[in-house]
Amino acid sequence: MTAILPLPPGSTLGILGGGQLGRMLAQAAAKLGFDVAILERETDAPAGRVAAHAIIGAYDDPLALNALAELADVVTFEFENVPAASVEALMALGVEVAPGPLALAVAQDRVDEKSFLNARGVATVAFAAADSPETAVAAAAAVGTPCLMKTRREGYDGKGQTWVEHAADAAKAFESLGARPVILEAAADFVRELSIIAARGRDGAIAVYPLAENHHEKGVLRRSVAPAEVSASAAEQAERIAARILTGLDYVGVIGIELFELKDGSLLVNEIAPRVHNTGHWTQDGCEVDQFEQHIRAVAGWPLGPTAARAQVEMLNLLGDEAAGWATYAAQPETRVHLYGKREAKPGRKMGHVNRILGSL
């Protein structure tokens, strides 16, 4: 059944994935009057506990997908590694899915992603693909060393990647990543990491948030500060990049775009994420409409909301046992606590985040 757009309150929105992003999307959808149906592989998932419906099953389980299609008027996803076949199956059942399959396909393969970006006039580091030890050595020599080797598919928070210091080391590095197809990326001589969160509505309207400055530790985002102090030129570059990507993908929803700022002030795109993004969590307490509500608005066919910043915010990820300090954070008047409801705190696992208000704007 084809959804009637804009989706009226009381409709049901489906989400593939039951983690923290799904949880915060479900909470934002409820605020706008929608019911939410979550499809997740595990019982007791964070998102399922705040949703009207929780379907337990694999993302490619035909019965689970049918159940979701029966409930949902529109479906979205919380992470980009859901099987493309699942999205196609839902669409074959007559369900509207946003963002669409092109965005998912591009984001799931790092070579396709950078090729798409370059074709749209968006700059990236030099890169080369490899699918054997021999081609890995040749690719490393082509892009120059040191270079970063990543698996073409999957991998996140620093997983599925390793540095190659000398071209001859690439064969061993290839084997260490499971002898799977890889991409080798030239090192970027950047001064800092930035990101932009942007959205595109079903009518083609585009809205962008102020840039964030991000700091990583061991491949995991540790903190973001936004709005970042950037030049007007950098802000204009980022907005232009976002518009080219969103339009090129015929995108609907919120997207996260990670950027490298070089010494000359130019920006390179590191990667894109076709979903709400960790570096956009600051918007929950810093903007008039946060990234989660914005995503719901977009996929539901509603007008996009304002993205102006009301305050400068420092977002800090709470990893593992750090979430046990919630009482300390809650006692700080300038700090807002966001916990994900995960039952087990594992080392390095994202258990929540806090937004510290640095000052009103």
Side-chain angles (χ1 to χ4, degrees):
M1 181 176 66
T2 303
I4 299 174
L5 298 171
L7 209 62
S11 303
T12 298
L13 185 79
I15 301 176
L16 289 167
Q20 67 262 22
L21 298 180
R23 182 184 179 97
M24 290 182 277
L25 284 170
Q27 291 168 328
K31 187 173 74 171
L32 298 182
F34 296 115
D35 285 341
V36 172
I38 299 289
L39 172 55
E40 173 54 37
R41 294 168 293 188
E42 300 176 4
T43 59
D44 198 38
R49 298 202 306 277
V50 300
H53 310 277
I55 302 165
I56 310 303
Y59 300 132
D60 57 358
D61 180 348
L63 293 178
L65 291 171
N66 271 289
L68 184 63
E70 288 290 325
L71 288 168
D73 299 287
V74 173
V75 170
T76 189
F77 42 86
E78 70 151 4
F79 71 117
E80 59 269 37
N81 287 325
V82 298
S86 298
V87 171
E88 293 167 0
L90 287 168
M91 294 175 67
L93 291 168
V95 179
E96 186 80 24
V97 181
L102 176 58
L104 198 62
V106 166
Q108 284 184 345
D109 187 297
R110 289 186 171 91
V111 173
D112 291 346
E113 178 184 72
K114 282 188 164 51
S115 298
F116 164 81
L117 291 169
N118 290 174
R120 298 298 301 182
V122 176
T124 67
V125 296
F127 65 95
D131 57 9
S132 69
E134 295 76 21
T135 55
V137 171
V143 302
T145 54
C147 60
L148 188 59
M149 181 185 291
K150 301 178 182 176
T151 55
R152 284 184 63 159
R153 303 178 71 86
E154 300 181 338
Y156 62 94
D157 287 346
K159 300 178 177 64
Q161 63 184 52
T162 186
W163 280 97
V164 177
E165 296 297 332
H166 306 283
D169 301 332
K172 185 177 180 180
F174 178 81
E175 297 293 348
S176 75
L177 293 179
R180 294 181 290 170
V182 297
I183 182 173
L184 289 96
E185 300 175 354
D189 186 19
F190 62 91
V191 294
R192 60 176 173 169
E193 297 181 49
L194 300 169
S195 62
I196 188 167
I197 304 297
R200 184 171 181 269
R202 291 188 180 275
D203 60 355
I206 291 174
V208 297
Y209 289 89
L211 284 114
E213 180 175 333
N214 308 308
H215 302 268
H216 291 76
E217 293 178 7
K218 298 179 181 179
V220 179
L221 180 69
R222 196 62 173 136
R223 56 187 285 268
S224 294
V225 177
E229 294 185 9
V230 298
S231 66
S233 172
E236 291 169 3
Q237 283 184 71
E239 291 177 12
R240 187 164 58 250
I241 286 168
R244 287 179 177 177
I245 293 170
L246 290 167
T247 303
L249 293 173
D250 194 20
Y251 198 88
V252 173
V254 163
I255 194 169
I257 304 170
E258 297 181 7
L259 304 160
F260 293 136
E261 182 181 34
L262 305 185
K263 291 178 182 178
D264 64 2
S266 62
L267 300 178
L268 302 179
V269 172
N270 178 29
E271 62 183 32
I272 62 176
R275 52 172 170 80
V276 288
H277 196 254
N278 198 170
T279 64
H281 290 355
W282 72 275
T283 63
Q284 290 175 299
D285 299 292
C287 292
E288 296 184 35
V289 170
D290 68 40
Q291 66 165 343
F292 299 99
E293 179 181 335
Q294 194 77 283
H295 186 76
I296 300 301
R297 282 172 170 259
V299 300
W302 287 29
L304 299 181
T307 56
R310 299 180 301 187
Q312 187 178 46
V313 175
E314 178 189 48
M315 188 284 300
L316 178 69
N317 273 327
L318 300 179
L319 307 178
D321 292 338
E322 293 171 353
W326 60 267
T328 299
Y329 291 116
Q332 299 169 353
E334 74 282 5
T335 302
R336 309 291 178 265
V337 180
H338 300 267
L339 298 177
Y340 305 151
K342 295 179 179 179
R343 302 300 193 190
E344 184 181 0
K346 300 177 182 178
R349 189 182 194 193
K350 294 175 182 174
M351 301 299 294
H353 67 274
V354 293
N355 284 333
R356 182 171 290 117
I357 310 300
L358 302 180
S360 58
L361 298 175

